[in-house]
């Protein structure tokens, strides 16, 4: 681990201001991902700003019936919150499918959104990786890419985003509250927070220097059936090969509302409005699930070892939609 | 008082069957358990010596070539850095193989695998050393590496003396009523012990003292002495507690020599703890294998031919090749037989022994092939195995020392409810899950290795056992205490066990499932000698001596041991293998039964229950023995479903080199496990009449799961691990049921 300066912020504004003017700054809260990366020197911050004592650990009702989740709410607390369990079941289930009990006790909402990829090559400093070292190349494209993206990747990077929580939040239409260094706050839809890799895979979000995520806002619950289905290589403590977050409402035997997001497939939690539009107003049927998968996977591209994810995503989507529309859960 | 005993003829009567203390075999808790759960059991990396410095190894960042330059100046100025050791003369290219008596390859200027240790950075703190190790500037000259096993498989060369031929397998295959002829593949695996390899070296004058996390101290001492150019008498190794080994700590690793060299140069104790990534990259793996199985059977389901040929990889200069046919050679009958191993030279981390080398992966293939044969013959898989239990060894014609295989199969099947199994695949759908049942035989060779121990009866009535035997989490402390307490008539808490120090008599070490029987026998023999001495003191025959509750009784005389003994009474005993090792086939046997669920849509596999029925001679402690079997069965789950050490074919490195991405089974993957032992005594094995158990539980376990997967969903996967991607394209349509 490279030696670093440690600073403690006493307000979100101060934290953002401190980060605005320093080089190589990282905020630290739970540290469950950052510390590992620092030990491996994949992250080598000059300065670490400790935000863990900021008063950002509340879960509050919003005026329009939604929920505001402080950035420092731990994954465990969020999953256990009565309102989350009642109204946003998909989020509680996604949280509990991630990491381990010990990690969830430390990991925070803001940090979870910003965790880095688990690409094997990103994790090995001797390997080319455009995300870790821009311009060095992507070793995963023609390498061991069983866990890599089939959607949204580029010829520069096919790493996936590892979060489960963010997938559920994406399906729920969450937005992110941000404290800027200039003292202002702004709000971004979660779908606008992340960037696709393109030719700059090292730039993962639209956050600007000094921006600090202070909370996540969930819109009022939409009802319907909520499912988070995570498919992985072992029963627990593994990242998703494919995950599906679904919030589906039925009206008179037809699909009235459909919000779907996918993990394990892309460099960011993946949502496709065409797919949702194609479901709404339709009668559930295996054929409809097939058409939905066709839309989702129209641009899917396998890279060898991850080819199976295309079939797996198709199968998992059908099985989740079936369960959400009254089949077995 | 020294005793030397050679196991030349079967032992008719074991003292353990006559002493009636009710200590041996009982499921006692580990005596060192409280120390471990309260953090007081000190592992090698937990020792702190005055003025200790910290070393971090630097591994090669290329897979083949040589180091052009290590720019020591690039880190010398970093805070806390003390020195950079680049001693190519002494550095080990790779760890020693188990039981080697010499150092592994040294003086290597080439880089033969990715991560090969090339330098040690030593600093005042671990953090500073790790930072400097990351910062060390090294320039390399790349060379073409041999990284792609499949592409190189045609270059495989026979392993010396591995070929065995009997009769004509090809002819048997041609004339068979039914035959199986297929290839199985298994990936590289890592032992992934919880405790990483660690060494703390310091010098007392010309003598080297090393706290090292190793399994076999007496041979480790010879390896380290040879590596450092020292007399073995001048090397002391300590390993009081070892946090798992599974073969990866059989031989000394590169961190030991690096620590010793640095400690000498610096004149300070130096501790080197490998990172998790280095444990994967620079210790030892189980080689990937390609196994060609051929089974030929007649119309009655009797085997007429058995062939098991294996191809593995290893580094140049290393001739270890996973002996996958080890159990195949004696388990089933068949007049025509063929076995052999071939090695492909690879520029990849050392391949060596990992838990049950041979059987662990060999039985995945053999027992899979037996399952396929049973289906072809329309014979129940249990019945097919029973029908092919040979009278004597099919090649050597030697008798088996003890073998309760048929009983294990029968009782295991009964307990599991095997008769309720539907033999047609894809017959049972529960919700979204296909349910299936599978079984496999367990078999693992039994060995006895030379081992010594000293037992001292103290005037205060306590006994002290000293040996350089290790306890790698298996329960050695406890079973040695049980043997001594049983034979000396003492409560177990009146026995002190001192292990893991080469100052004590040299033991077998922990490996090959021989530790309990070998070290245990040495303690048995020393106690036997002490009993004789006590009998003499009482003026009678040892046959009439009763030791119980700290009292010695002879006829009508009864005296407390503490009064009988004025001076410490000491006996050192050594056991050596002898003629019974050659005159009998010795192995533990058992039967695995598994129930799995395969998700009809996603292909996820969950093991729902797993039962093992084993017979391994006398069970020395039912609790630690069951734990050993549990551990083996969990290994079997990992082998069948998740574990795959992935090599990169272009760069040569191990891609998934941490516990997040190298998928060992976690709690949620492990269902209710059941283990049952059948009563058995093996008189040819050792005076304890016990056989090894540490590796029996893994042997065959994965195959039972694979066979259950086939029974569940009708997909036969011969390429381990059976991950869902290998199933989803072939899953049956649940609506067809």
């Amino acid at each position: 681990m490279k030696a670093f300066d440690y600073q403690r912020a006493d307000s979100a504004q101060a934290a953002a201001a401190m980060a605005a003017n320093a080089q190589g700054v990282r905020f630290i809260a739970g540290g469950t991902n950052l510390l590992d990366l620092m030990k491996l020197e994949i992250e080598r911050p000059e300065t670490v700003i400790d935000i863990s004592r900021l008063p950002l650990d509340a879960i509050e009702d919003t005026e329009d019936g939604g929920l505001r989740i402080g950035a420092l709410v731990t994954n465990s607390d969020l999953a256990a919150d009565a309102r989350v369990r009642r109204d946003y079941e998909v989020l509680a289930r996604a949280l509990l499918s991630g990491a381990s009990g010990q990690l969830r006790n430390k990991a925070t909402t803001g940090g979870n959104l910003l965790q880095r990829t688990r690409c094997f090559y990103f994790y090995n400093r001797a390997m080319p990786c455009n995300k870790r070292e821009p311009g060095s190349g992507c070793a995963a494209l023609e390498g061991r890419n069983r866990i890599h993206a089939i959607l949204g990747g580029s010829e520069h990077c096919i790493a996936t985003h590892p979060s489960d929580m963010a997938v559920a939040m994406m399906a729920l239409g969450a937005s992110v509250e941000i404290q800027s260094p200039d003292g202002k706050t702004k709000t971004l839809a979660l779908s606008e927070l992340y960037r696709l890799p393109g030719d700059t895979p090292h730039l993962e979000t639209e956050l600007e220097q000094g921006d600090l995520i202070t909370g996540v806002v969930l819109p009022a619950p939409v009802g319907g059936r909520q499912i988070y289905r995570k498919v992985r290589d072992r029963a627990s403590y593994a990242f998703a090969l494919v995950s599906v977050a679904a919030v589906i409402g039925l009206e008179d035997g037809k699909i009235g509302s459909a919000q779907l997001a996918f993990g394990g497939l892309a460099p960011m939690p993946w949502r496709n409005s065409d797919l949702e539009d194609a479901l709404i107003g339709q009668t559930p049927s295996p054929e409809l699930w097939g058409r939905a998968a066709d839309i989702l996977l129209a641009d899917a591209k396998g890279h060898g070892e991850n080819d199976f994810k295309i079939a797996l995503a198709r199968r998992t989507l059908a099985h989740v939609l079936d369960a959400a529309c009254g089949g077995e859960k | 008082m020294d005793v030397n005993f050679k196991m030349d003829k079967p032992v008719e009567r074991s003292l353990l069957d006559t002493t009636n203390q009710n200590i041996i075999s009982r499921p006692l808790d580990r005596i060192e358990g409280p120390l471990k759960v309260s953090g007081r059991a000190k592992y090698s990396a937990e020792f702190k010596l005055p003025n200790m410095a910290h070393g971090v190894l630097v591994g090669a960042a290329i897979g083949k070539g040589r180091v052009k330059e290590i720019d020591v100046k690039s880190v010398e100025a970093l805070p806390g850095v003390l020195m950079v050791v680049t001693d190519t003369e002494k550095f080990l290219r790779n760890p020693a193989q188990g039981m080697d008596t010499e150092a592994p390859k040294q003086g290597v200027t080439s880089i033969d695998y990715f991560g090969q240790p090339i330098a040690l950075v030593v600093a005042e703190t671990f953090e500073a050393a790790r930072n400097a190790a990351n910062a060390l500037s090294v320039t390399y000259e790349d060379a073409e590496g041999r990284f792609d096993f499949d592409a190189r498989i045609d270059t495989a060369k026979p392993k010396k003396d591995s070929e065995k031929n009997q009769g004509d397998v090809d002819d048997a295959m041609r004339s068979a009523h039914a035959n199986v002829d297929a290839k199985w593949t298994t990936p590289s695996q890592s032992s992934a012990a919880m405790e990483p390899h660690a060494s703390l070296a310091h010098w007392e004058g010309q003598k080297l003292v090393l706290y090292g996390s190793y399994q076999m101290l007496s041979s480790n001492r010879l390896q380290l002495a040879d590596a450092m150019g020292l007399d073995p008498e001048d090397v002391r190794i300590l390993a009081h507690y070892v946090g798992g080994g599974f073969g990866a700590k059989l031989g000394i690793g590169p961190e030991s020599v690096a620590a010793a060299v640095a400690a000498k140069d610096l004149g300070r104790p130096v501790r080197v703890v490998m990172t998790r990534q280095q444990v994967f990259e620079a210790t030892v793996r189980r080689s990937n294998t390609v196994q060609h199985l051929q089974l030929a059977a007649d119309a009655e389901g009797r085997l007429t031919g058995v062939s098991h040929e294996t191809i593995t990889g290893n580094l140049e200069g290393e001739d270890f090749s996973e002996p996958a046919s080890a159990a195949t050679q004696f388990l089933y009958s068949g007049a025509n037989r063929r076995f052999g191993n071939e090695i492909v030279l690879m520029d990849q981390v050392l391949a060596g022994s990992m838990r049950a080398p041979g059987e662990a992966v060999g039985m995945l293939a053999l027992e899979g092939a037996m399952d396929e044969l049973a289906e072809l013959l329309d014979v129940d898989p249990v019945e097919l195995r029973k029908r092919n239990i040979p009278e004597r060894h099919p090649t050597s014609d030697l008798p088996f020392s003890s073998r309760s295989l048929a009983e294990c199969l029968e009782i295991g099947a009964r307990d599991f409810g095997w008769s309720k199994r539907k033999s047609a695949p894809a017959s049972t759908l529960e919700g979204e899950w296909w349910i299936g049942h599978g079984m496999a035989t367990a078999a693992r060779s039994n060995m006895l290795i030379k081992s010594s121990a000293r037992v001292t009866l103290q005037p205060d009535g306590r006994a002290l056992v000293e040996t350089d035997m290790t306890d790698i989490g298996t329960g050695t402390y406890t079973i040695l205490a049980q043997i001594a307490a049983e034979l000396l008539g003492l409560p177990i808490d009146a026995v002190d066990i001192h292990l893991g120090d080469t100052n004590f008599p040299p033991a077998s070490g922990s490996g090959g499932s021989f530790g309990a029987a070998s070290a245990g026998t040495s303690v048995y023999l020393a106690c036997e000698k002490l009993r004789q001495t006590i009998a003499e003191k009482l003026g009678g025959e040892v046959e009439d001596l009763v030791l119980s509750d700290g009292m010695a009784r002879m006829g009508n005389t009864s005296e407390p041991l503490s009064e009988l003994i004025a001076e410490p009474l000491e006996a050192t005993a050594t056991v050596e293998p002898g003629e019974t090792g050659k005159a009998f086939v010795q192995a533990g046997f058992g039967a695995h039964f598994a129930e799995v669920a395969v998700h009809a849509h996603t292909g996820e596999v969950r093991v729902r229950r797993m039962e093992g029925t084993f017979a391994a001679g006398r069970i020395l402690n039912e609790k630690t023995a069951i734990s050993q079997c549990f551990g083996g069965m969990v290994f079997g789950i990992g082998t069948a479903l998740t574990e795959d050490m992935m090599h990169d074919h272009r760069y040569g490195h191990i891609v998934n080199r941490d516990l997040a991405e190298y998928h060992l089974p976690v709690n949620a993957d492990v269902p209710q496990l059941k283990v049952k032992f059948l009563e058995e005594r093996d008189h040819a094995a050792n005076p304890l009449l016990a056989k090894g158990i540490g590796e029996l539980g893994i042997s065959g376990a994965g195959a039972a799961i694979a066979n259950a997967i086939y029974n569940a969903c009708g997909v036969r996967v011969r390429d381990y691990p059976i991950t869902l991607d290998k199933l989803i394209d072939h899953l049956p349509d649940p609506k067809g049921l």
Side-chain angles (χ1 to χ4, degrees):
Chain A
M1 189 181 289
K2 182 168 157 285
F4 55 89
D5 283 335
Y6 171 87
Q7 296 176 13
R8 190 182 295 166
D10 52 18
S11 72
Q13 265 177 300
M18 285 154 77
N21 304 314
Q23 284 297 307
V25 183
R26 284 283 180 261
F27 296 119
I28 190 166
T32 55
N33 190 210
L34 181 63
L35 286 178
D36 279 354
L37 293 169
M38 285 171 67
K39 289 174 189 171
L40 295 167
E41 298 196 23
I42 293 160
E43 292 274 7
R44 307 178 80 241
E46 301 280 337
T47 304
V48 170
I49 300 174
D50 185 353
I51 58 164
S52 63
R53 290 165 175 80
L54 298 184
L56 299 172
D57 56 354
I59 305 174
E60 307 157 317
D61 297 328
T62 61
E63 283 179 9
D64 58 359
L67 213 55
R68 174 180 289 107
I69 303 158
L72 294 176
V73 173
T74 66
N75 289 178
S76 293
D77 286 347
L78 186 55
D81 183 85
R83 288 158 295 186
V84 171
R85 292 176 59 173
R86 185 187 64 219
D87 296 332
Y88 306 99
E89 185 193 354
V90 66
L91 176 58
R93 287 183 178 271
L95 283 160
L96 293 176
S97 75
S100 65
Q102 294 92 329
L103 287 166
R104 293 194 294 269
N105 286 342
K106 288 298 287 179
T108 62
T109 303
N112 189 315
L113 291 175
L114 297 183
Q115 64 182 301
R116 313 283 317 264
T117 183
R118 294 286 167 160
C119 170
F120 308 126
Y121 299 94
F122 174 74
Y123 262 79
N124 190 328
R125 295 195 319 141
M127 292 296 128
C129 172
N130 288 323
K131 189 183 276 298
R132 182 171 28 78
E133 206 178 315
S136 62
C138 173
L141 274 172
E142 293 173 3
R144 306 303 303 262
N145 51 36
R146 185 168 191 280
I147 62 172
H148 288 75
I150 55 170
L151 290 169
S154 72
E155 60 189 11
H156 303 282
C157 183
I158 53 170
T160 56
H161 193 273
S163 174
D164 293 298
M165 182 196 81
V167 175
M169 286 180 170
M170 188 72 90
L172 290 167
S175 53
V176 178
E177 294 187 335
I178 296 158
Q179 172 72 53
S180 293
D182 59 7
K184 292 181 184 151
T185 58
K186 56 188 175 187
T187 301
L188 273 183
L190 185 57
S191 55
E192 290 163 14
L193 175 69
Y194 296 108
R195 295 170 60 125
L196 288 178
D199 55 7
T200 55
H202 59 293
L203 303 176
E204 296 173 351
T205 70
E206 299 292 349
L207 295 176
E208 290 168 37
Q209 169 99 32
D211 280 358
L212 173 69
I213 294 177
T214 53
V216 172
V217 176
L218 301 180
V222 293
R225 196 148 185 192
Q226 302 192 12
I227 292 176
Y228 188 76
R229 181 69 164 91
K230 180 176 182 180
V231 182
R232 47 184 151 176
D233 275 329
R234 60 183 167 191
S236 177
Y237 198 58
F239 296 94
L241 294 168
V242 171
S243 72
V244 180
V247 183
I248 304 282
L250 286 180
E251 288 170 18
D252 303 329
K254 293 195 160 126
I255 295 173
S257 63
Q259 294 172 225
L260 288 150
F262 301 84
L265 299 182
M268 59 183 279
W270 196 255
R271 193 165 171 181
N272 182 325
S273 57
D274 291 345
L275 154 62
E276 294 171 11
D277 292 345
L279 290 171
I280 292 168
Q282 302 297 313
T283 306
S285 73
E287 293 69 35
L288 182 61
W289 310 153
R291 285 204 297 282
D294 288 342
I295 295 169
L296 171 70
L297 299 165
D299 297 324
K301 183 170 163 27
H303 301 274
E305 291 188 347
N306 69 348
D307 291 348
F308 77 95
K309 281 191 176 182
I310 297 173
L312 184 62
R314 178 175 290 277
R315 284 174 159 272
T316 309
L317 174 60
H319 145 61
V320 166
L321 289 172
D322 223 29
C325 294
E328 281 158 310
K329 198 170 178 182
Chain B
M1 286 194 308
D2 283 357
V3 181
N4 289 294
F5 176 84
K6 213 165 166 206
M7 193 63 202
D8 278 331
K9 54 179 195 293
V11 173
E12 282 178 25
R13 169 180 159 276
S14 174
L15 275 176
L16 294 173
D17 286 313
T18 65
T19 41
N20 295 320
Q21 295 301 300
N22 194 26
I23 293 176
I24 199 69
S25 302
R26 270 180 58 201
L28 298 181
D29 291 344
R30 287 157 200 265
I31 58 175
E32 82 286 13
L35 293 179
K36 284 183 172 167
V37 297
S38 61
R40 286 174 292 162
K42 273 178 131 180
Y43 292 78
S44 297
E46 295 180 311
F47 284 87
K48 289 189 177 74
L49 295 178
N51 207 24
M52 181 174 84
H54 300 260
V56 169
L57 287 168
V58 178
I62 63 167
K64 186 69 180 174
R66 65 177 195 91
V67 172
K68 277 209 304 221
E69 195 199 351
I70 296 176
D71 181 9
V72 173
K73 289 195 181 58
S74 63
V75 299
E76 269 178 347
L78 289 176
V81 173
L82 296 166
M83 67 184 303
V84 180
V85 185
T86 58
D87 189 340
T88 50
E89 284 304 306
K90 287 226 164 47
F91 266 39
L92 307 182
R93 181 186 67 166
N94 50 263
Q97 297 280 7
M99 303 177 87
D100 276 357
T101 52
E102 292 176 351
K105 207 162 193 172
Q106 292 175 284
V108 172
T109 53
S110 59
I111 289 165
D112 294 339
Y113 63 96
F114 192 101
Q116 180 182 323
I118 54 172
L120 181 79
V121 180
V122 186
E124 292 289 356
T125 64
F126 169 72
E127 289 76 12
R130 185 172 56 184
N131 177 229
N134 278 327
L136 187 69
S137 169
V138 182
T139 47
Y140 300 97
E141 189 178 292
D142 258 312
E144 184 86 6
R146 294 167 290 197
F147 302 142
D148 189 345
F149 183 88
D150 292 340
R152 292 184 43 74
I153 199 156
D154 293 339
T155 67
K157 297 272 187 310
K159 175 179 163 60
K160 200 167 168 252
D161 300 328
S162 74
E163 278 181 78
K164 288 174 188 164
N165 270 296
Q166 176 181 330
D168 188 339
V169 171
D170 295 334
D171 187 51
M173 289 293 283
R174 276 190 298 271
S175 55
H177 175 74
N179 70 44
V180 174
D181 185 343
K183 283 185 178 166
W184 275 259
T185 54
T186 65
S188 291
Q189 293 181 328
S190 175
S191 293
M194 192 61 85
E195 179 203 23
H197 292 55
S199 285
L200 163 57
H202 78 104
W203 292 80
E204 293 172 352
Q206 293 306 304
K207 295 191 177 193
L208 171 62
V209 179
L210 189 107
Y211 295 84
S213 179
Y214 293 124
Q215 297 177 227
M216 309 185 81
L217 301 195
S218 49
S219 54
N220 298 141
R221 179 193 215 179
L222 300 178
Q223 296 153 8
L224 187 57
D226 185 42
M228 296 300 296
L230 295 170
D231 190 312
E233 293 300 311
D234 290 336
V235 174
R236 181 183 178 194
I237 304 181
L238 298 106
H240 299 315
Y241 300 99
V242 179
F246 315 111
K249 297 169 182 169
L250 289 172
I252 60 167
E255 87 292 350
S256 63
V257 169
V261 171
K264 178 138 208 174
D265 290 357
L266 202 59
R268 294 171 60 174
V270 173
R271 181 171 80 185
V272 181
V273 183
M274 279 193 168
T275 64
R276 180 60 65 189
Q277 289 77 16
Q278 287 170 343
V279 172
F280 278 91
E281 285 182 342
T283 63
V284 59
R285 68 184 167 112
R286 189 199 299 282
S287 174
N288 56 315
T289 69
V290 175
Q291 301 177 49
H292 183 198
L293 252 292
Q294 290 171 298
L295 297 178
D298 64 18
E300 278 75 51
R302 293 198 165 72
L303 286 166
T304 54
V306 177
S307 173
H308 192 166
E309 295 168 302
T310 308
I311 307 176
T312 65
N314 214 339
L315 281 168
E316 192 140 19
E318 291 286 336
D319 69 351
F320 178 88
S321 177
E322 184 85 18
S325 66
T328 316
Q329 299 191 22
F330 62 77
L331 189 53
Y332 301 125
S333 51
N336 303 288
R337 309 177 78 79
R338 178 166 62 207
F339 307 104
N341 271 61
E342 292 184 303
I343 303 178
V344 180
L345 281 183
M346 298 298 297
D347 297 311
Q348 289 174 338
V349 58
L350 179 72
S353 291
M354 180 169 147
R355 197 173 196 176
E359 290 90 337
V361 290
M363 294 193 68
L364 296 176
L366 173 65
E367 292 299 289
M370 286 295 279
D371 201 62
E372 296 191 26
L373 185 65
E375 187 180 36
L376 289 172
L377 291 163
D378 197 22
V379 174
D380 181 84
V382 174
E383 172 58 26
L384 179 68
R385 284 157 175 92
K386 280 167 64 184
R387 226 173 260 183
N388 286 285
I389 297 175
E391 194 75 11
R392 296 162 78 92
H393 190 289
T395 303
S396 68
D397 203 37
L398 290 173
F400 287 83
S401 57
S402 62
R403 183 182 46 171
S404 307
L405 174 56
E407 295 83 347
C408 287
L409 288 164
E410 279 163 21
I411 293 167
R414 184 198 68 199
D415 291 354
F416 184 78
W418 179 255
S419 61
K420 294 200 274 295
R421 167 189 186 255
K422 294 177 186 165
S423 59
S427 296
T428 307
L429 190 66
E430 275 185 29
E432 300 168 331
W433 297 87
W434 294 106
I435 309 301
H437 303 90
M439 59 79 55
T441 295
R444 167 68 184 167
S445 296
N446 182 65
M447 284 175 269
L448 180 67
I449 300 291
K450 188 175 178 182
S451 201
S452 303
R454 179 167 58 232
V455 180
T456 309
L457 208 44
Q458 312 279 8
D460 63 359
R462 295 183 68 81
L464 171 65
V465 176
E466 294 167 304
T467 164
D468 82 0
M469 184 60 189
T470 49
D471 187 330
I472 59 172
T474 45
T476 314
Y477 278 102
T478 313
I479 57 148
L480 295 186
Q482 282 176 280
I483 292 168
E486 178 74 37
L487 295 180
L488 298 176
L490 296 174
I492 191 148
D493 54 13
V495 181
D496 297 309
I497 307 289
H498 291 180
L499 303 180
D501 184 339
T502 53
N503 278 357
F504 300 144
S508 62
S510 301
S513 300
F514 50 64
S518 305
T521 296
S522 66
V523 172
Y524 172 102
L525 294 168
C527 291
E528 190 180 38
K529 181 71 186 171
L530 291 174
R531 290 175 64 90
Q532 205 170 7
T533 311
I534 294 164
E536 284 161 15
K537 278 182 185 289
L538 288 169
E541 296 299 318
V542 70
E543 287 73 19
D544 302 325
L545 177 71
V546 176
L547 295 178
S548 183
D549 303 325
M551 303 286 287
R553 294 192 192 88
M554 179 85 75
N556 293 329
T557 327
S558 179
E559 218 178 315
L561 277 180
S562 52
E563 282 177 28
L564 195 63
I565 302 164
E567 296 289 317
L569 207 57
E570 183 186 298
T572 302
T574 301
V575 60
E576 273 184 80
E579 291 302 315
T580 63
K582 298 170 199 153
F584 296 90
V585 187
Q586 297 184 22
F589 293 91
H592 291 282
F593 292 85
E595 177 177 308
V596 306
V598 179
H599 197 275
H601 300 292
T602 64
E604 294 155 289
V605 177
R606 298 285 180 263
V607 182
R608 304 220 303 187
R609 62 191 177 106
M610 210 172 164
E611 299 188 12
T613 306
F614 306 104
R618 186 197 309 276
I619 299 303
L620 300 172
N621 176 321
E622 200 189 353
K623 189 173 193 175
T624 56
I626 286 176
S627 291
Q628 284 295 298
C629 293
F630 282 165
M633 290 157 77
V634 173
F635 252 78
I637 295 172
T639 300
L641 300 181
T642 59
E643 290 184 51
D644 181 358
M645 192 177 183
M646 298 161 64
H647 302 279
D648 187 288
H649 301 154
R650 303 155 303 162
Y651 301 101
H653 71 296
I654 290 151
V655 171
N656 52 344
R657 45 179 202 154
D658 59 38
L659 296 178
E661 298 299 340
Y662 181 82
H663 289 149
L664 299 161
V666 294
N667 270 330
D669 293 298
V670 181
Q672 189 62 48
L673 302 177
K674 270 196 210 162
V675 167
K676 176 181 264 186
F677 294 119
L678 302 190
E679 195 69 16
E680 192 184 63
R681 297 284 185 268
D682 193 314
H683 296 267
N686 51 63
L688 310 176
L689 317 186
K691 293 186 286 191
I693 193 120
E695 294 160 315
L696 186 55
I698 182 177
S699 300
I705 294 168
N707 294 340
I709 290 171
Y710 175 73
N711 181 246
C713 66
V715 186
R716 185 76 78 178
V717 179
R718 302 191 188 101
D719 177 28
Y720 286 92
I722 306 176
T723 44
L724 58 87
D725 48 299
K726 295 170 188 172
L727 295 170
I728 50 172
D729 290 339
H730 314 285
L731 290 173
D733 183 353
K735 296 201 173 57
L737 200 70

